[in-house]
Amino acid sequence: MSGAATPETATDVEKQTDSTVRYIHPRVILMGILVSMGGFIFGYDTGQISGFLEMSDFLDRFADQTDADGNPAFSNSRSGAIVGLLSIGTLIGAIIAGPIADKLGRKYSIILWNIVFIVGVIVQIVTTTKWYQIAIGRWVAGLGVGGLSVLTPMYQSETAPRQVRGALVSCYQLFITLGIFTAYCINYGTEDDYSGAPQWRIPIGIGFIWPVVMAVGILFLPESPRWDYRKGNVDRAVNTISKSYGVPETHQQVVREVRDIKAKLDAETAGGAKHHWYEIFTGPRMLYRTILGIVLQALQQLVGANYFFYYGTTIFTSTGLSNSYVTSMILGGVNFGTTFLGLYVVDKFGRRKSLITGALWMFVCFMIFASVGHYALNRDDPQATPSAGTAMIVFACLFIAGFASTWGPIVWAVVGETYPSRYRARAMGIATASNWTFNFLISFFTPFITADIDFAYGYVFGGCCFVGAVVVYLFVCETQGRSLEEIDTMYVLKVKPWKSSKWRWEDDLTAQNMVSLGPEARQAAKRTEQAQERREVASGEANGVERGEPSNAATATR
Ligand code: BGC
């Protein structure tokens, strides 16, 4: 599929509507898949460890105690260190990824984090008997996973055509789930077919493939056009946008996008001031948005999906299902399969409706799961209450389907598109670090909490799901189909989130609003108005986009 033909006349340009870019260009699909390898690495690495802890050779080499039958076993502190150091690494990786991405660019940062991950894999695979070498290797690999968990959605949301941005970033989640599922399957295969070190060295070794594919593949993809534009590589940025939309550089969509990027950059550089990191809290409407990102990512963990992914085996053993591999395969399979639904709903129904519906769905599932587990299941002898056990498995799967099609992918998409370019890398880094912090806390505290309140723990997650629905209703703007620059304007103008899907900037610029808005919001409104005026002029121009190097002659000042 090639793009629309180059327009010959003004009328041709006018005819260019969004419909000419409604298909997804194969180049964009390729980009989606390749960059989503960052998600695969994330999923593969987090998915493989629970299997390792049960492998006989891994236990023989690294365990620090014996169980009642005299078999090697891990103490909580040692298994906690092996599992948890990855999360600590990811947390640090996510925080430092932002500033590095602003300096090095998105593309070369992706290569860097893949190399870091590979170093972590090497440290682990050459380990013979030292458990702490495995733990340190996981910490290093975690740095890479954390960096990629910021870079992947960032690169995708900065490069994707607006019509499919949600679906493309959701591809990242699809690959996380595919990574988890693949790790489960490979662990199952090697545990069954091998004895000795290959049991765990083969899955770790296969882990080399994904970062090599990603790091080499990204060399053939362009740099993020938004980063390029900010660094003065204007021609390249315009070219990348036109290629990702699959239309000529003169197309109205490309003109519009470039003009919006320019307007924002001009406004930022007009002040000429040096920018400080803390502006992610003090910049226009940034405190609101930074906190929103942190809360959404915390809630993405607190809705409780990892309760099932990390402790599914234990949970289902206590409901009477004893084959841990079957459990993992069921959960991993449902998770992967239903993420496809997420790719569809995010751009079909928008972020708000999908997240609110998903949160309420997960709330209901957890309420039923927790009530059956707490009141109906015979926890001492689960076989005596088989229907309770079955109901719990069904509602766990329904929960996972709800998570995988909404909160799993869409939170990554929303966080990738909520911040303006200047703050995006750092703000996304902090929000992603919040995800990893709560990921770690849930993995660490779940065994203790479950020991105290058994399945009533599900009420805690259910409550968080409900809070998630309220937070989205009150604070998240609908961003479906809007450019990143338009989204920024919407937040700066303090558009009411529950009215945001119907919001049109034209309606907001009434004299009444202009007076009641603060100076920053007024300037943002002005910028949007000017950008729109230029778009209209541009759609009458047959000679294509006026590129305009970023200049200090600001179209508006902040
Ligand atoms: C979450 C992970 C989770 C995974 C499950 C991701 O979006 O951030 O913590 O394990 O989804 O598919």
Side-chain angles (χ1 to χ4, degrees), residues 383-394:
Q383 311 294 355
T385 49
S387 41
T390 308
M392 290 177 73
I393 294 166
V394 168

Side-chain angles (χ1 to χ4, degrees), residues 146-478:
L148 290 175
S149 68
V150 175
L151 260 302
T152 300
M154 190 193 309
Y155 180 91
Q156 288 176 325
S157 54
E158 288 186 343
T159 312
R162 68 178 82 186
Q163 293 87 344
V164 294
R165 190 180 55 236
L168 206 74
V169 182
S170 301
C171 220
Y172 169 61
Q173 174 72 12
L174 182 69
F175 273 63
I176 296 177
T177 61
L178 182 60
I180 297 175
F181 188 53
T182 308
Y184 287 163
C185 296
I186 292 178
N187 275 351
Y188 174 52
T190 58
E191 156 82 351
D192 223 38
D193 295 350
Y194 295 90
S195 58
Q199 282 184 341
W200 51 276
R201 281 212 178 115
I202 290 176
I204 295 183
I206 291 174
F208 279 115
I209 300 173
W210 332 121
V212 169
V213 169
M214 188 176 185
V216 173
I218 194 93
L219 288 172
F220 298 95
L221 292 181
E223 178 51 91
S224 145
R226 284 170 169 85
W227 187 83
D228 257 347
Y229 198 96
R230 298 177 70 76
K231 295 289 168 182
N233 303 324
V234 176
D235 286 348
R236 209 167 65 174
V238 174
N239 187 265
T240 306
I241 294 174
S242 101
K243 281 196 173 139
S244 77
Y245 276 101
V247 295
E249 292 182 10
T250 51
H251 192 281
Q252 193 186 8
Q253 282 278 359
V254 182
V255 173
R256 188 205 295 190
E257 202 106 345
V258 174
R259 292 280 163 95
D260 286 358
I261 295 173
K262 179 178 187 309
K264 290 280 174 192
L265 182 61
D266 285 349
E268 280 171 21
T269 47
K274 192 171 177 305
H275 299 304
H276 302 281
W277 67 267
Y278 53 77
E279 288 178 24
I280 58 166
F281 299 110
T282 58
R285 212 76 206 297
M286 281 306 294
L287 181 64
Y288 177 100
R289 287 185 274 181
T290 302
I291 293 178
L292 181 61
I294 292 173
V295 170
L296 284 177
Q297 285 285 22
L299 282 167
Q300 203 236 20
Q301 291 298 314
L302 287 168
V303 295
N306 283 330
Y307 170 61
F308 293 112
F309 293 122
Y310 294 164
Y311 294 100
T313 318
T314 328
I315 296 169
F316 291 110
T317 307
S318 53
T319 67
L321 187 77
S322 58
N323 187 327
S324 64
Y325 289 108
V326 173
T327 315
S328 306
M329 303 279 177
I330 293 175
L331 298 182
V334 172
N335 190 28
F336 175 56
T338 49
T339 304
F340 283 97
L341 188 62
L343 304 191
Y344 173 74
V345 303
V346 63
D347 283 319
K348 172 78 183 163
F349 302 108
R351 285 45 160 172
R352 281 174 58 81
K353 271 191 204 146
S354 311
L355 285 174
I356 293 172
T357 312
L360 295 176
W361 170 280
M362 293 188 292
F363 164 73
V364 171
C365 292
F366 250 127
M367 286 309 178
I368 298 175
F369 177 90
S371 303
V372 174
H374 192 64
Y375 297 108
L377 183 79
N378 181 338
R379 289 189 297 282
D380 298 324
D381 180 16
Q383 311 294 355
T385 49
S387 41
T390 308
M392 290 177 73
I393 294 166
V394 168
F395 278 95
C397 290
L398 289 175
F399 165 87
I400 288 172
F403 175 82
S405 55
T406 60
W407 279 70
I410 300 178
V411 168
W412 293 106
V414 168
V415 168
E417 61 196 13
T418 299
Y419 308 106
S421 294
R422 177 162 127 210
Y423 311 111
R424 185 171 301 121
R426 283 161 201 264
M428 279 185 76
I430 294 209
T432 308
S434 151
N435 180 295
W436 286 110
T437 306
F438 282 88
N439 185 324
F440 173 71
L441 293 177
I442 288 173
S443 66
F444 188 81
F445 285 111
T446 291
F448 301 101
I449 300 174
T450 308
D452 264 4
I453 58 171
D454 65 80
F455 291 109
Y457 189 24
Y459 293 125
V460 177
F461 292 124
C464 292
C465 294
F466 193 80
V467 170
V470 176
V471 165
V472 172
Y473 180 79
L474 291 178
F475 301 111
V476 177
C477 281
E478 183 52 69

Side-chain angles (χ1 to χ4, degrees), residues 16-17 45 64-65 94 107 167 173 237 334 417 446 474 491 511:
Q16 295 169 334
T17 62
D45 215 58
D64 54 339
Q65 55 187 37
K107 184 168 155 170
Q173 174 72 12
V334 172
E417 61 196 13
T446 291
L474 291 178
Y491 275 105

